[in-house]
Amino acid sequence: MERSRVNLLIPGPTPLPPEVREAMSTAMVDHRGAEFGRILRDVLAGVAQIFQTTSPVLMFAASGTGGLEAAVVNVLSPGDRVLALSCGMFGDRFASVARAFGAEVIVEEAPWGCGIDPQQVTEALRRHARVRAVLVTHNETSTGVTNDLRGIAEAVRGSGALLLVDAVSSLGAIDLRADAWGLDVVVTGSQKALMGPPGGVFISVSPNAWEASKVARMPRHYFSFAMARDQLASEAAYTPFTPAIPVISALAVSIPMILREGLPARFAHHRRLAEMTRTGVQALGLELFAQARWASETVTAVRVPAGIDGKELRARLREQFGVAVAGGQGALDGRIFRIGHMGYVQEAQIVEALAALERVLAELGHRRSPVSSR
Ligand code: PLP
């Protein structure tokens, strides 16, 4: 029989509240009309509150990677030296984007499973002169690691470098203060903790980044910050190109939900889900991939136990129990699986997933280790 419901616990896209799903399916509107202009501006003002910034927030129709590209091409010139902090696939991706547009990229790495130590950033900036920008992934989705963004921002402050932040899998779930921490460009996507469908990116741009954009020479057209800002301020043409109307309609419902609940409550919700998940998988005798100090509150990476096929484990969870979790990416393919717990994910979904995991592990012959089953 066809399963009617999937317990979607991948690290994005995430489950949507029913009222958000309904909003997505309403009739199309005139995207140059006054009504749509009001909706878009309200959404952007709400997202700015989540970025904790008073700077204007821009939106583009794109996936998260499009947002990373927008961040890079608007504030940098070919040949600019960039320090890319990487502890996983998405940190590597940010570095690749900068490289593709001609930046001279120096990569500063941490072992996968760990975050980047702010002291390491201080030292790297001391070692390398003329760094124009530092790139960092706030929450490294591929390993379930959250970087100490505040500490890294402190390390960058005073160096003269801009700080560009990938907050795709953190914004709305983990505290991020764009203004107070001095973050210059912050990118997030619509499809994770903001409880919307994929298709939109939001970008906050600091006054320093706006200054940098005036002299930056990397090629750009669709992703021009200046064009997006100017159009938003115009009377009847709010976006330079056709906006992702269903994404905006969805966020017009989800963003007020988040703000009504309040950011501290949203952060506490994610902390609770993460703690439940970590405690639960360890009680089943499994080992967490990320070191405890860096463990993410939006995604938990779990080592596949020796002798068990990770693909088979995930397939059984999906087929027998309707539980969808993600596999490992790149070098971690088959070695870990990842449980996403962000946005609208509820505690009951985690409980159900843990129960299913216990059954599947038993079927696959996994014996709990003596330490964790005590
Ligand atoms: N950065 C991070 C940290 C992510 O988790 C993701 C998506 O999972 C992305 C960037 C963007 O990826 P995509 O372009 O597939 O939306």
Side-chain angles (χ1 to χ4, degrees):
M1 202 187 299
E2 189 65 26
R3 192 174 296 282
S4 62
R5 186 181 73 89
V6 172
N7 183 355
L8 186 66
L9 295 175
I10 60 171
T14 59
L16 301 182
E19 44 284 53
V20 173
R21 294 210 309 261
E22 266 168 43
M24 272 164 61
S25 62
T26 51
M28 288 300 105
V29 295
D30 171 10
H31 64 297
R32 304 296 183 207
E35 171 73 12
F36 180 75
R38 261 193 305 278
I39 294 171
L40 178 63
R41 286 181 182 134
D42 283 352
V43 166
L44 295 179
V47 174
Q49 288 185 54
I50 304 176
F51 275 112
Q52 303 186 56
T53 183
T54 56
S55 292
V57 166
L58 307 175
M59 181 181 187
F60 296 94
S63 84
T65 308
L68 301 184
E69 178 170 323
V72 165
V73 299
N74 277 280
V75 299
L76 292 171
S77 299
D80 275 352
R81 181 173 281 180
V82 161
L83 183 69
L85 309 179
S86 181
C87 55
M89 290 286 289
F90 290 102
D92 287 352
R93 184 178 299 183
F94 212 171
S96 300
V97 172
R99 218 175 274 121
F101 286 91
E104 179 202 330
V105 179
I106 300 164
V107 181
E108 188 67 30
E109 287 178 304
W112 289 23
C114 300
I116 307 278
D117 194 323
Q119 185 58 32
Q120 195 181 338
V121 180
T122 304
E123 283 160 20
L125 286 171
R126 216 174 272 147
R127 262 197 325 276
H128 303 287
R130 295 181 296 99
V131 170
R132 184 76 183 115
V134 175
L135 315 183
V136 64
T137 315
H138 185 195
N139 186 78
E140 180 46 79
T141 322
S142 66
T143 58
V145 158
T146 302
N147 275 305
D148 172 6
L149 183 55
R150 185 183 196 157
I152 289 171
E154 274 165 24
V156 173
R157 194 170 307 138
S159 72
L162 295 164
L163 182 54
L164 313 189
V165 183
D166 171 348
V168 171
S169 62
S170 61
L171 197 89
I174 303 172
D175 197 14
L176 176 151
R177 304 178 188 188
D179 288 358
W181 297 351
L183 315 177
D184 291 302
V185 182
V186 186
V187 177
T188 200
S190 50
Q191 77 279 21
K192 306 224 185 211
L194 297 186
M195 303 193 300
V201 287
F202 296 94
I203 307 184
S204 75
V205 186
S206 75
N208 275 348
W210 278 115
E211 280 307 307
S213 74
K214 290 183 193 159
V215 294
R217 286 179 288 99
M218 280 189 185
R220 54 188 178 273
H221 182 79
Y222 180 81
F223 285 127
S224 162
F225 282 178
M227 193 151 49
R229 175 197 55 195
D230 295 347
Q231 291 281 129
L232 204 57
S234 75
E235 275 307 306
Y238 311 103
T239 54
F241 312 105
T242 309
I245 294 173
V247 177
I248 293 161
S249 304
L251 289 160
V253 175
S254 70
I255 301 298
M257 286 173 78
I258 292 169
L259 295 175
R260 268 197 305 276
E261 191 176 326
L263 293 182
R266 291 307 296 158
F267 302 152
H269 168 77
H270 287 86
R271 206 170 304 126
R272 211 162 39 241
L273 291 183
E275 278 164 11
M276 273 180 75
T277 308
R278 291 194 292 261
T279 308
V281 293
Q282 285 178 296
L284 296 176
L286 302 182
E287 217 183 304
L288 301 174
F289 182 73
Q291 289 193 2
R293 171 179 173 205
W294 309 104
S296 164
E297 280 158 13
T298 59
V299 50
T300 297
V302 184
R303 287 184 194 274
V304 175
I308 289 195
D309 177 350
K311 262 204 185 82
E312 173 75 13
L313 175 94
R314 285 193 300 121
R316 288 192 185 215
L317 282 173
R318 179 73 178 78
E319 281 153 26
Q320 294 171 209
F321 298 96
V323 174
V325 299
Q329 296 167 288
L332 293 176
D333 184 25
R335 292 175 49 207
I336 62 167
F337 64 93
R338 294 171 301 142
I339 304 173
H341 30 76
M342 62 184 114
Y344 190 59
V345 170
Q346 308 296 315
E347 290 181 11
Q349 287 175 254
I350 302 293
V351 172
E352 188 184 76
L354 290 169
L357 188 56
E358 181 169 35
R359 291 275 294 276
V360 168
L361 284 168
E363 282 175 19
L364 293 173
H366 174 65
R367 301 266 165 270
R368 292 182 192 198
S369 78
V371 174
S372 51
S373 61
R374 237 185 293 157

